[in-house]
């Protein structure tokens, strides 16, 4: 006797747990919890002094002792965009009369095309979770107070458009945007 499979039609609401964006720019999940994304500002650890790296590690250690709510660290690769540089080089190639300079510009253009195809930029994010918007405000205050924002800080806030783009990338793994 052959069993017949029941076909299940899932809607996007069954798959994605985000229901809305609040007025403060947080994401409300289907269970009522709040989610927020903060970008981690990366540093060049190769050319940074060991004292500065140790100081950053101490700041993270202190932060993790104080922060008790759930969080995730997310890493995403983005294709590099050299469109502006390519447009400038195209303009220079079309306007120059010096053939040697034109060859150098074309070589640089070929390098940019290769980089655009083979190079990616990696970005890192904290995904925070809280029960209420008030608790999320407190969590973000803890982040900014201990890790800092701005030029010397370790995190930065993002626009709602960028956060939506990140959520889209997380839900659509094959998206190349």
């Amino acid at each position: 006797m052959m069993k017949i499979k029941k076909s299940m039609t899932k809607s996007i609401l069954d798959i994605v747990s985000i229901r809305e964006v609040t007025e403060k720019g947080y994401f409300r999940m289907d269970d009522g919890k709040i989610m927020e994304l903060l970008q981690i500002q990366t540093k060049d650890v190769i050319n940074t002094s060991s004292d500065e790296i140790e100081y950053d590690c101490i700041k993270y250690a202190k932060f993790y002792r104080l922060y008790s709510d759930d969080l995730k660290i997310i890493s995403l690769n983005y294709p590099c965009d050299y469109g502006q540089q390519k447009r400038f080089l195209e303009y220079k190639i079309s306007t120059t009369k010096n053939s040697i300079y034109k060859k150098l510009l074309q070589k640089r253009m070929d390098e940019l095309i290769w980089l655009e195809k083979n190079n990616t930029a990696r970005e890192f994010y904290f995904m925070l979770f809280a029960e209420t918007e008030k608790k999320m405000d407190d969590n973000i205050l803890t982040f900014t107070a201990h890790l800092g924002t701005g030029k010397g800080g370790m995190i930065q806030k993002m626009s709602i458009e960028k956060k939506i783009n990140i959520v889209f990338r997380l839900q659509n793994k094959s998206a190349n945007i």
Side-chain angles (χ1 to χ4, degrees):
M1 187 166 159
M2 184 184 282
K3 290 188 178 183
I4 301 173
K5 285 186 178 180
K6 290 184 180 179
S7 65
M8 289 184 71
T9 319
K10 288 191 175 188
S11 73
I12 191 68
L13 293 175
D14 295 331
I15 299 168
V16 178
S17 60
I18 296 173
R19 293 296 172 250
E20 70 174 335
V21 178
T22 67
E23 289 182 15
K24 292 184 177 183
Y26 303 145
F27 295 100
R28 186 175 314 280
M29 311 300 277
D30 58 357
D31 61 356
K33 291 185 180 179
I34 304 296
M35 181 190 76
E36 172 66 330
L37 292 166
L38 297 174
Q39 184 167 359
I40 300 172
Q41 292 189 33
T42 56
K43 293 185 178 181
D44 180 8
V45 292
I46 303 297
N47 297 317
T48 305
S49 71
S50 59
D51 291 339
E52 191 174 344
I53 292 171
E54 187 174 343
Y55 178 69
D56 288 347
C57 288
I58 290 168
K59 282 172 64 174
Y60 270 118
K62 182 179 178 184
F63 167 76
Y64 283 126
R65 275 188 250 123
L66 294 172
Y67 190 82
S68 61
D69 282 332
D70 294 336
L71 68 90
K72 288 183 181 182
I73 297 176
I74 300 168
S75 170
L76 292 175
N77 288 334
Y78 288 97
C80 292
D81 180 26
Y82 297 104
Q84 186 175 2
Q85 293 94 327
K86 285 172 34 180
R87 284 189 298 277
F88 177 74
L89 285 175
E90 287 170 354
Y91 167 75
K92 285 305 224 179
I93 289 170
S94 67
T95 58
T96 188
K97 293 177 174 67
N98 186 339
S99 63
I100 296 171
Y101 188 54
K102 203 175 250 192
K103 285 180 185 177
L104 291 173
L105 289 173
Q106 187 58 51
K107 182 178 178 186
R108 180 67 181 139
M109 176 67 88
D110 295 340
E111 289 173 2
L112 286 178
I113 291 169
W114 185 89
L115 282 172
E116 212 167 44
K117 289 180 184 174
N118 299 304
N119 196 16
T120 59
R122 181 168 285 177
E123 293 184 0
F124 301 90
Y125 308 95
F126 281 116
M127 184 182 278
L128 315 176
F129 300 94
E131 296 291 327
T132 63
E133 286 190 32
K134 171 76 171 102
K135 181 63 177 163
M136 183 59 75
D137 291 339
D138 294 342
N139 289 349
I140 291 174
L141 185 62
T142 302
F143 264 86
T144 56
H146 291 91
L147 298 180
T149 59
K151 184 174 178 161
M154 301 170 89
I155 59 165
Q156 70 183 46
K157 294 183 179 180
M158 299 177 289
S159 68
I160 190 65
E161 291 83 16
K162 185 165 184 178
K163 289 191 272 186
I164 289 171
N165 184 356
I166 292 167
V167 169
F168 179 81
R169 294 263 329 243
L170 290 172
Q171 301 297 328
N172 301 285
K173 304 282 194 236
S174 63
N176 191 10
I177 52 174

